[in-house]
Amino acid sequence: MSDSDQQKIEQLRKDIQRHDHLYYVKDAPEITDREYDRLMERLKELEAKHPEWITPDSPTQRVGGQPFSKEFSEEFGEPQRGLKPVTHKVPMLSLDNTYNVEELRDFHNRVVKNLGTKEVEYVVELKIDGLGVSLTYEDGILVRGATRGDGKTGEDITANLKTLRSIPLTIPMQKAGYKTMEVRGEVYMNRRGFDALNRKREEEGEAPFANPRNAAAGSLRLLDSRITASRPLHIWVYALGHFEGPAFNTHFEMLKQMGEFGFRTNPNTRLCQSFDDIQKMIDEWQEKQSTLDYDVDGLVIKVNSIAAQNKLGSTNKHPRWAAAFKYEAEEAETVVQDIRVQVGRTGAVTPVAELTPVFVSGSTVSRATLHNEDEIVRLDVRVGDRVVIIKAGEIIPKVIRVLDKERKGRQPKFKMPKTCPKCDSKIERPEGEAVWRCVNAACPAQLKERLLHFASRNAMDIDHLGTAMVDQLVDTGKVKSFYELFDLQLEDVSGLERMAEKSGKNLIDAIAKSKQAGLARLVFGLGIRHVGQRVAQVLAQTYGSMDALAKAPYEDLEAIDEIGPRIAESIREFFGEKHNKKELCKLKQHKLVMTEEKKAGGGSLEGKQFVLTGTLENMTRDEAKRKIIEAGGRVTSSVSAKTDYVLAGTDPGSKLTKAQKLGIAILSEKEFQKLLDT
Ligand code: IVH
């Protein structure tokens, strides 16, 4: 009996590994997500029955258990970081950069001269804008993953790298004669995943990442691999470090072997027999790089023959057999008209440059983020400066350089305010963070943002409560918290600017109507950090009432499928605060609906994934999204094998074509309505 369980476990592990490879490496899944989940469930059940058979390379072990503890980190003398140092057996060198064809030709001429041959074969690869990592396999098993660090010493991020399903936990290297092997590659976040992550962060009141590279770097160095697991990270493998086993004749051959071992190798890699071929590739990718779903900052040109590589050798910084050719991001010049400081819903104080409008990378830009205090100091940017901005991979354009430094004498340095620019309260910058936050919970700027969020479409959906109205209500002191909205009388609002009696009544009616919005919308509207629309829905469904949710212990919250420790902690913190307790008590007195019927087995769309495309006739896309979420479904931005339905309006985009290719069910608006009604 046990014997056959062991066989079953082995078979399941093999099957799951194969399907991971098909899905994450080949992009050609053979089974549905549900079937995949079932395999995983079965394996988990069997392993629970026989915990002694759990091995570190089992697919169930990808998402690690507990985050690194404090003791663990202190052992290595870096309490706040807690990542163990790893010495690279073969240093992880960097590449010599070239910025134009002449410089690259100099590199080629040096290679030709040092090798003493005319004919040199090169491999040309995309230069991926991510993070270099090293993966060590021993006897076929992934035993260590590390960052590049300074090239000599990196940090141990094994637990985090294991969560990337495009990184195999085991490889058939013994069959090929290898005992140990260190594989190197670039971990990156794809653009679509990055956009979705940032949208979610903004919805949850968190500062967005500046670009996919920062997002990938941040995700890889987290102490809790469960968060890393939720980030859209991928890898392209492109080099070897130390290995014991048969040598390779060429770099290209090595890449082929890595592909056969199950690693992702970039399909755009080419062999080039001449400098002309390289130049063609440079021209080709200048245009084509923007069509990729990940950021590329140039090409890497490598001598193909390993014997030739060895002959050329390395300096202590970079190999002489390889060079990077860097593309410049599209830049534009403009003038900083003003530097303003914004205060967000959670009190984050962010400097923003107001610019003379300028056209760059396909759109007109009139504002650019300056991110934070460190960035302003680094750039030394001042009002009136001519600056260079770029839009390379970032959703928000950024200032990268100040041009006319000579103006500096006449202009004061920009200083971050010492207090909140809106309420003059203390601002704080927690250790290790780059963001200053206003500590005053009653800060009018925060309050305005919070009220706007509370009233927004997907929260309480209060018509007529826009920016101008919120500004007046807060500035006149009429509203200092959510519940005071429900205290408002007609005479309070009809006296306000641009407010006829009729529209005053409309506003009061809309506020009253919103009392029926329901638990999920209210929970979302409260603006609890990290609680987005979907999580609010899950909480409402799980607890059924605000009272139950307010009392839910941390362990219960964390046990919910879609809720991690960060969200659970934030919910506990919110309900533990005195003024939030008062707020909820007052909202209850105003008879807001604070319960939600628990639907047996969830909503009609429980667990279904939707993608929306085209224009809908009877509802906006936002409304459709809300309806899907309310019925227990999810909305994602791109079509994949995981998508259950594509809701297509008129003028659908490429998402429809992709869905047709993958054989995913496509719904008209009518069919969608029907599905909702069932
Ligand atoms: S090869 C000895 N190939 O660029 C050469 N590096 O500036 C080792 N990178 O640290 C690197 N794409 O993180 C190589 N196709 C590619 C690459 C690549 C991106 C990164 C890598 C490296 C940095 C060098």
Side-chain angles (χ1 to χ4, degrees), residues 91-97 125-133 148 184-186 213 237-239 251 269 297 299-300 302 314 317-319 321-322 324 326:
M92 291 181 82
L93 300 179
S94 61
L95 292 162
D96 207 1
N97 287 327
E125 298 169 1
L126 299 183
K127 188 166 191 299
I128 315 298
D129 196 9
L131 267 98
V133 300
R148 174 174 179 272
R184 294 174 178 180
E186 199 84 353
R213 189 178 184 282
V237 155
Y238 51 62
H251 180 73
T269 299
D297 61 345
L299 299 178
V300 183
K302 301 176 178 175
S314 307
K317 283 209 199 103
H318 20 72
W321 48 265
K326 298 263 252 185

Side-chain angles (χ1 to χ4, degrees), residues 588-661:
K588 201 171 184 182
Q589 284 169 9
H590 278 291
K591 303 220 157 39
L592 268 76
V593 173
M594 291 199 180
T595 53
E596 188 134 315
E597 223 175 283
K598 289 193 202 178
K599 293 177 199 132
S604 61
L605 302 181
E606 192 63 34
K608 299 281 186 229
Q609 265 200 29
F610 280 76
V611 171
L612 311 183
T613 177
T615 316
L616 302 175
E617 239 165 69
N618 298 312
M619 59 183 105
T620 63
R621 296 220 328 217
D622 241 20
E623 277 171 301
K625 180 179 166 194
R626 200 187 61 235
K627 286 185 178 169
I628 292 167
I629 292 175
E630 280 173 358
R634 284 171 154 265
V635 179
T636 59
S637 54
S638 60
V639 176
S640 75
K642 291 188 185 170
T643 311
D644 293 294
Y645 297 105
V646 169
L647 170 55
T650 47
D651 295 326
S654 60
K655 292 176 191 174
L656 183 65
T657 342
K658 181 148 186 216
Q660 283 162 339
K661 245 196 230 155

Side-chain angles (χ1 to χ4, degrees), residues 97-116:
N97 287 327
T98 64
Y99 293 93
N100 53 53
V101 174
E102 285 64 51
E103 284 177 23
L104 189 64
R105 197 181 282 282
D106 290 344
F107 159 77
H108 170 61
N109 289 339
R110 279 196 304 273
V111 168
V112 167
K113 193 175 139 222
N114 287 334
L115 288 179

Side-chain angles (χ1 to χ4, degrees), residues 485-521:
L485 285 172
F486 301 93
D487 285 332
L488 289 173
Q489 302 295 321
L490 188 55
E491 52 272 26
D492 291 321
V493 298
S494 47
L496 298 174
E497 238 173 79
R498 275 179 295 157
M499 181 56 86
E501 187 160 333
K502 170 111 188 339
S503 31
K505 182 166 180 330
N506 286 342
L507 175 62
I508 299 293
D509 288 349
I511 292 174
K513 190 176 136 219
S514 78
K515 291 181 184 179
Q516 308 300 322
L519 184 61
R521 283 165 170 272

